[in-house]
Amino acid sequence: MQRRFWKLIAFTLVALLSSASLYNRLSAEETTETVAPPPEQPFAIVAVASIERMLNALDFSFEAADRMAASEAIGGYMEKAGDLKGMDQRQGFGVMIFLAGITPQPIGFVPVENINDLLKTIEIGPFTTKKIDDEHYELKQNGESIFVKTVGRYAFFSNDETALDREFPDPGPMTAALAADYDVAAMLNLASLPDDKRDIFATLLKASADTNLQRRDNEPESAHRVRKALGENNARLLEQVLRQSQDLTVGWKMLPQQRKAALEIRIRARPGSELATIYEELQTGRSQFTNFLKGDAPLTFASTWKLDKPGQEAFGEIVQVLEDSIPAAAEEDAADDPIARLFRAARGTVATGQLDFALRFLGEPGGPFVLAGGLKVKDGRAMQEGLSELCLYWLETGAFSDVEIDADEHNGIQFHRLEVREGGRGSERVYGGPPSMYLGVDDTTLWMAIGGDTALPRLFEQIDALAEPVDQPLPAVPLQFVVNIADWTSLRGDDEDGENNRGGRFFARVNEAFSQDNAALRIDIKSIKDGARLRLEFEEGFIRFFGMSLARRLMRE
């Protein structure tokens, strides 16, 4: 049963962290005082707030899923594991990860109330336990050993005895700092990395990126140029994060009072660094699409992103690739060509350093839906003639089956209709029939809609809403993504995937877990002090689905 004890601990140790908690030890020799070096700080740590918090989180999941019998099953497992007697169930536990050179060296730690009781609990495993001295113990199972060292109120363990031959920092303040925000968390203590190790990791990262960005067999040159531009920019950002960051934290927490759960990724840069400035400037601009983004929708994706110079160069290269793919615009004497003017305006938009766009699926549950959106542009008037020429070029190349120039007009904006080729059953289900794409541009915005007969009316409503005064400006959010799962599962036909089909059984559980008011997943990025935070927020339907799935597995076992 001890195997289950370790399995329980391993299941809950989900990430990494490090701390700023040190202590100094003073010793005196005659009249000279010397300060002992502080304990080595781990490069990373995985921390669970406590067994108590973990069990409460599971209870919340089972309660949301209406599967309280599973909580009783967990209680049965705990009883068989001796209720983990000897372990302080109100304190945090986890794994510290030190670096031996650049090789990770994991060391587990658990808070101890009584070491003798803990050893008896471990023997349920079954492990055999052997006391080496007052601080050291050896656990054996199937010829393999785990070595234990007790320091204060913690027991540290590793399968490498020499790994315990160090002075450990107190895990208490580390786990308490994370437990204040998360039930389970992990932190990389990048500040603990000396510059020479950062250089090694940066060199490995660059070598890997260079290899992956080489042109692949049969890859079109245009596709390679786009992939390379984005890949080089991403590699640059990762290297910047490695060299200029203090720490990176990943944390999960249940929010029972709000009936939600959240996963967060937080990164903090060195104060005053270029990376800290980038994070600070993430929220310096507000979107022009505030009214467009109000209210619920099946799916929303929007961004008001500040591009630094390398980011502008990467997106500028993508615009250039698109322009080069059109013969008329790529000719040397095509400076006054309408399509060339369109791409010149596109490059001007990139050069503003601000990417502002919004896309939304609009419609009622069950569909049909319309995809509508807009992109802020610098000189939309210069794009107008080029946009119609571009639509005709796409017709010539067979990208669309039919094109109608000036198919409709709204507020002085001419919209062109592009008939999408066969989109398949899924596309018709989403849009209620064969969809068309509509494109139009005014002085400041490139507009787009995809859908059936309701596409343009829906888009016109959004354009009109944008012209209205903004009563309550939304907070500046560099990036946001919101999707309501129930809106999309409602598109499935009642006769799809019979009850005896695995897919049918899965979606039966999905439909049981999610309803219209509990099925939203929200993702956003925001600036924090000297850093940035990515947050995924799950409404109760996700917790309910998790509780149902876990309960199903527990009760089956």
Side-chain angles (χ1 to χ4, degrees):
M1 228 43 216
Q2 179 51 34
R3 184 173 302 169
R4 287 183 176 172
F5 168 74
W6 291 113
K7 185 177 179 181
L8 178 63
I9 292 180
F11 171 75
T12 56
L13 302 180
V14 181
L16 325 168
L17 138 87
S18 172
S19 122
S21 169
L22 306 172
Y23 69 85
N24 292 328
R25 196 176 47 167
L26 302 179
S27 61
E29 181 177 352
E30 296 180 356
T31 59
T32 304
E33 289 188 347
T34 60
V35 179
E40 177 188 0
Q41 294 297 298
F43 167 65
I45 186 172
V46 179
V48 180
S50 67
I51 290 290
E52 191 175 84
R53 282 264 291 273
M54 183 186 71
L55 294 176
N56 288 339
L58 289 174
D59 282 345
F60 170 47
S61 299
F62 297 138
E63 179 265 324
D66 194 23
R67 301 290 194 277
M68 291 308 295
S71 286
E72 298 176 7
I74 291 289
Y77 279 117
M78 289 288 291
E79 184 178 352
K80 291 177 181 178
D83 288 321
L84 303 183
K85 189 175 181 181
M87 180 178 174
D88 188 342
Q89 299 185 24
R90 295 166 298 176
Q91 301 299 318
F93 64 97
V95 175
M96 292 180 178
I97 300 178
F98 296 88
L99 289 179
I102 61 172
T103 303
Q105 194 175 58
I107 297 175
F109 65 90
V110 295
V112 177
E113 281 188 336
N114 184 293
I115 186 62
N116 292 324
D117 288 340
L118 182 58
L119 291 173
K120 291 178 182 178
T121 297
I122 291 173
E123 289 173 353
I124 297 174
F127 277 85
T128 60
T129 63
K130 175 184 176 183
K131 181 176 181 179
I132 299 174
D133 56 38
D134 288 342
E135 290 186 348
H136 296 85
Y137 301 83
E138 183 179 3
L139 316 177
K140 283 191 173 183
Q141 185 187 54
N142 299 327
E144 296 184 358
S145 293
I146 296 176
F147 301 94
V148 180
K149 177 182 179 181
T150 58
V151 180
R153 53 197 179 92
Y154 284 90
F156 298 87
F157 55 92
S158 172
N159 58 5
D160 181 0
E161 188 173 13
T162 61
L164 301 178
D165 189 19
R166 55 162 44 95
E167 186 177 354
F168 290 101
D170 184 0
M174 301 181 189
T175 57
L178 288 180
D181 294 323
Y182 305 112
D183 297 329
V184 181
M187 180 189 280
L188 293 177
N189 182 14
L190 296 171
S192 69
L193 280 180
D195 288 340
D196 59 341
K197 286 186 178 178
R198 291 188 190 230
D199 289 340
I200 292 173
F201 285 123
T203 300
L204 294 174
L205 178 66
K206 187 177 186 308
S208 175
D210 289 344
T211 300
N212 291 331
L213 293 177
Q214 292 179 3
R215 188 172 177 182
R216 298 164 181 163
D217 294 341
N218 302 320
E219 182 179 23
E221 181 185 1
S222 58
H224 175 245
R225 286 173 61 187
V226 170
R227 186 171 61 84
K228 184 178 180 181
L230 293 175
E232 287 179 343
N233 190 52
N234 291 337
R236 176 191 61 84
L237 289 173
L238 287 175
E239 182 177 352
Q240 206 167 29
V241 166
L242 178 61
R243 292 186 182 277
Q244 300 181 23
S245 294
Q246 292 193 99
D247 51 60
L248 170 67
T249 304
V250 180
W252 170 267
K253 56 184 173 184
M254 291 289 195
L255 303 166
Q257 293 184 340
Q258 301 177 36
R259 312 298 293 180
K260 295 177 180 178
L263 174 68
E264 291 186 350
I265 301 175
R266 297 187 315 197
I267 186 165
R268 292 190 307 132
R270 291 173 174 173
S273 66
E274 182 182 353
L275 190 61
T277 301
I278 291 174
Y279 291 147
E280 183 180 358
E281 291 179 346
L282 278 177
Q283 291 182 233
T284 56
R286 288 189 178 275
S287 174
Q288 75 168 21
F289 298 102
T290 295
N291 285 346
F292 182 85
L293 296 172
K294 288 184 176 180
D296 295 330
L299 185 146
T300 297
F301 179 44
S303 177
T304 308
W305 197 272
K306 186 174 178 63
L307 297 173
D308 59 6
K309 284 297 183 183
Q312 293 176 38
E313 292 174 2
F315 278 92
E317 173 66 7
I318 293 171
V319 172
Q320 188 63 54
V321 169
L322 294 174
E323 183 175 9
D324 291 346
S325 67
I326 301 175
E331 295 175 2
E332 294 183 2
D333 59 350
D336 291 330
D337 182 86
I339 295 180
R341 291 200 300 270
L342 180 148
F343 282 105
R344 194 156 55 243
R347 284 193 294 273
T349 299
V350 172
T352 65
Q354 195 76 31
L355 187 64
D356 186 9
F357 72 87
L359 285 171
R360 304 193 91 187
F361 273 97
L362 305 171
E364 301 302 321
F369 295 154
V370 169
L371 176 60
L375 169 68
K376 183 178 181 180
V377 295
K378 182 181 179 182
D379 188 4
R381 188 177 298 273
M383 292 183 169
Q384 290 173 354
E385 186 179 356
L387 183 61
S388 60
E389 293 290 330
L390 186 60
C391 290
L392 292 173
Y393 171 77
W394 284 334
L395 177 62
E396 292 176 4
T397 60
F400 294 91
S401 59
D402 191 20
V403 168
E404 182 181 358
I405 301 300
D406 298 340
D408 209 331
E409 181 271 341
H410 184 73
N411 291 353
I413 309 171
Q414 295 294 330
F415 283 90
H416 316 305
R417 183 183 65 84
L418 299 91
E419 190 171 308
V420 179
R421 292 190 174 277
E422 185 72 27
R425 184 181 176 189
S427 177
E428 293 190 6
R429 182 183 301 151
V430 170
Y431 298 112
S436 295
M437 175 186 288
Y438 298 88
L439 293 174
V441 60
D442 58 24
D443 289 350
T444 62
T445 309
L446 174 64
W447 294 102
M448 181 272 294
I450 299 176
D453 295 338
T454 60
L456 279 182
R458 284 279 191 177
L459 179 60
F460 294 165
E461 290 174 3
Q462 302 304 313
I463 294 174
D464 293 341
L466 210 64
E468 296 175 0
V470 179
D471 296 331
Q472 295 180 336
L474 298 175
V477 179
L479 184 145
Q480 58 180 310
F481 176 87
V482 184
V483 60
N484 188 304
I485 299 299
D487 285 334
W488 295 94
T489 57
S490 64
L491 292 176
R492 292 175 55 84
D494 294 335
D495 58 343
E496 288 189 58
D497 299 325
E499 292 184 2
N500 295 325
N501 180 281
R502 178 177 295 181
R505 293 195 299 270
F506 172 80
F507 277 100
R509 294 197 298 273
V510 169
N511 291 333
E512 182 182 355
F514 292 99
S515 61
Q516 197 61 38
D517 58 355
N518 76 356
L521 164 63
R522 295 179 175 86
I523 304 174
D524 64 57
I525 293 177
K526 65 176 289 187
S527 295
I528 58 176
K529 182 175 174 55
D530 293 323
R533 185 223 67 191
L534 169 68
R535 177 183 173 98
L536 289 78
E537 184 179 275
F538 303 85
E539 287 193 342
E540 186 176 3
F542 292 90
I543 303 168
R544 179 173 169 81
F545 184 78
F546 169 76
M548 290 168 54
S549 301
L550 182 57
R552 182 167 170 264
R553 178 178 293 271
L554 284 172
M555 302 312 289
R556 187 169 57 204
E557 292 180 355

